[in-house]
Amino acid sequence: MVAAAIPWTALWGSNEGWLWFFSRGSKHKEGAVAWMKHFLSERIKGFAGKGVVLYPEGTRSLLPEGLPLKLGALGAAYELQWPVQVVITTNKECVTAERATW
């Protein structure tokens, strides 16, 4: 959807190698963490000394509390021994909710 919303920036970023797309719904026989570890380590090769911004996600829920984060990218960063800073926000549900509960 990002590529459709801003096609030229997405195309530029993808061609230059600093914007990476993957299908989050895909199943990988080696597991999400192993697949993401390989994916990230291959993409970062041309950017020595640079960092990666990851947006960890949890399972979508209408509950008032958050659910555990998915391990794919965070697990891969941990196994690659990359420094990670996780940012957790609150009270954003009215902006990000797919279905309103109020």
Side-chain angles (χ1 to χ4, degrees):
M1 293 192 61
V2 171
I6 48 173
W8 297 112
T9 304
L11 183 61
W12 174 45
S14 182
N15 285 340
E16 291 295 315
W18 51 262
L19 183 62
W20 310 328
F21 295 104
F22 61 92
S23 176
R24 71 181 189 138
S26 298
K27 299 290 182 193
H28 305 283
K29 64 182 176 189
E30 67 273 25
V33 174
W35 183 87
M36 185 62 75
K37 183 177 172 183
H38 175 74
F39 178 83
L40 292 174
S41 60
E42 286 298 310
R43 297 308 183 285
I44 199 75
K45 284 181 180 176
F47 299 93
K50 299 290 183 183
V52 175
V53 176
L54 302 172
Y55 295 93
E57 66 178 85
T59 301
R60 293 182 181 128
S61 170
L62 297 178
L63 298 174
E65 67 274 354
L67 297 176
L69 295 175
K70 293 181 180 178
L71 292 179
L74 283 177
Y78 177 81
E79 288 188 13
L80 290 167
Q81 297 182 350
W82 290 359
V84 173
Q85 178 176 347
V86 177
V87 177
I88 298 176
T89 60
T90 61
N91 301 322
K92 70 208 171 289
E93 290 76 17
C94 63
V95 176
T96 62
E98 291 180 357
R99 292 179 282 166
T101 59
W102 50 90

